[in-house]
Amino acid sequence: MEYKLDFRTYSDALKKNKLLGLKCNDCGTFTCPPKMTCQECAGTDLEIVELSGNGEIVTFTQTFVAPQGRECEAPYTIVMVELDEGPWTMGNLIDIAPDKINMELIGRKVRLGHKVFPGDTYSDGEAARPLFSFQI
Amino acid sequence: MRRVAVVGTGHTRFMFNSPKTEVEMLAEASMDAINASHLKPKDIRAIFTGNVLGDFSEGQGMVQSYLANDIGCFNIPASKFEGACASATMAIRDAYMWVASGFYDIVLVGGTEKATAMGTPLATRTFAMFGDSRYEYPAGFTFPAFFAMEAHLYSKKYNVPLERLKEQMALVSVQSHHYGMKNPHAQFHKEITVDKVLSGFMVTSPLQLLDCCPFSDGAAAVVLASEDVAKRLTDKPVYIAGVGQASSGKMSSQYKYLPRLRARELAVKQAYEMAGLGPEDIDVCELHDCFSIASIIAVEGLGFAEFGKGGELWEKGETKTGGKIPVNISGGLKAKGHPIGATGASQLHEITRQLRGELVDEGRQVAGAKVGLVDTLGGDGVIVNLILKTD
Ligand SMILES: [Zn+2]
């Protein structure tokens, strides 16, 4: 059985600022990041949908100790965003001063952009990830 | 299913920059376990090992076969289990099932790791491999970042102000260092204070240096045997009364359930039901304190505290010897150290010694301990629990 929406297709779309996910025709749940089956009911009757890319921050961290090869990115902020359609997705937060990163971030409305991680020795090529900024 | 017991155990010192190889460390711990069991290598029927990053740290894969040969367990089946930091506990659970089923009578289980050989940048990179590489690592997601995001979520969801939560977290690390002082195998032998934890450098907010366990080198091993064999070998068998294991997907896929970890709740339920016991029956617990917040989340998932109130156990001193539920009297991953492939075997070694009453001289015996619990977490996707008892 083939993936309805695989990583490469997801990443290529994200590079055009399109956040693709899956809508379950059995239970209506949206699954994003995509996977083989619905995150709630394990159903496989799924259709590819473009999500709004809007959501709110549910948690975050500001990382100072980066993995090998990514030291120049630190410090950076990782956010988990609950998308308007329901699923949670991880990305980075931009447009914020480092000293403003605190619990007040939780609940802030954000919108989607993207940035490409070019990959390193241990990753199979590049990968786009969501890059969130505040909704105006 | 037959009853299965721990017969003998072995444990190297946990440390930075071990001069030994992973196979050497595991061979030393294994021979100690075999000797403590009054056995010879030829008596071992199969080997189950945990080792995670040997390929990155010393260019060595497949340590299990070299271990078998090194200790003279020539040509026996030897298998390796990979579940990140829970690898050895996975190996123990599988070894338990092979003996319980009657397939083997006597087996060796152990784990080894030499993470400090990688240095912090590569170690941080490789530990990040236990998150989702395609959908989450691109954002710079590291393993500390998982628990850092859990901490902020916990504070928000349970309405525990971050300042108070940070103090509770600091108390977890302070207690671990206190008991680590008394454990000769521990990586750290120094007391720390809440102030010192709260003034450490920020690793990934809100986790500061002393909220995090170290990178470590070390090994631990145990011999398991069927009940009839174990009774011939030792007058203090420690029985595996219950086991449980569960998995989950990447952090975002666990969404609404977080900061609770469903895998732990399912795994420990299996173990409790199999043992016919509950959280109120546990006398001593070794749990997976890779980060201070992880301990608070763990005591809740294991049933020792209500959700949102785990930190109060440390505030009230209930996690010390003599408290309601003594936790990590070994010093835990934080002070004892966390050589990831070895950790589950180290936790089982510790609980075995507690239940045998062997820690009086070290000043950290839980008086009258009869039932113990092991809790090990691997990445964001594996949790294994073991329940041990003396009869
Ligand atoms: Zn569904």
Side-chain angles (χ1 to χ4, degrees), chain B residues 67-234:
Chain B
L67 169 75
N69 190 61
D70 248 53
I71 63 175
C73 288
F74 297 116
N75 309 111
I76 66 171
S79 308
K80 182 170 96 169
F81 291 75
E82 197 277 290
C85 311
S87 297
T89 330
M90 287 171 72
I92 292 162
R93 177 173 169 274
D94 265 58
Y96 160 81
M97 292 189 288
W98 282 98
V99 177
S101 73
F103 201 91
Y104 298 124
D105 283 339
I106 304 174
V107 301
L108 174 73
V109 199
T112 187
E113 204 70 50
K114 198 171 178 185
T116 72
M118 290 185 280
T120 297
L122 179 58
T124 303
R125 175 68 185 94
T126 55
F127 278 52
M129 293 176 183
F130 313 121
D132 187 286
S133 67
R134 299 279 71 187
Y135 292 108
E136 302 195 339
Y137 182 70
F141 188 50
T142 61
F143 205 61
F146 175 85
F147 275 104
M149 290 200 282
E150 281 277 272
H152 285 144
L153 197 55
Y154 184 104
S155 168
K156 183 72 179 179
K157 178 162 180 179
Y158 298 122
N159 205 19
V160 179
L162 189 60
E163 202 165 290
R164 179 170 178 206
L165 181 61
K166 288 271 296 169
E167 287 195 7
Q168 293 176 337
M169 288 159 54
L171 287 171
V172 173
S173 295
V174 168
Q175 180 188 305
S176 294
H177 274 256
H178 173 73
Y179 286 115
M181 289 278 290
K182 300 169 185 283
N183 183 347
H185 292 131
Q187 186 164 352
F188 293 111
H189 287 137
K190 67 175 179 198
E191 297 269 5
I192 58 171
T193 60
V194 167
D195 282 349
K196 191 150 188 199
V197 180
L198 295 176
S199 60
F201 78 80
M202 194 64 80
V203 174
T204 185
S205 66
L207 303 181
Q208 291 169 263
L209 180 65
L210 295 174
D211 289 302
C212 307
C213 72
F215 295 116
S216 310
D217 303 345
V222 301
V223 169
L224 302 184
S226 57
E227 180 174 21
D228 52 332
V229 173
K231 280 181 169 164
R232 291 205 301 270
L233 297 172
T234 174

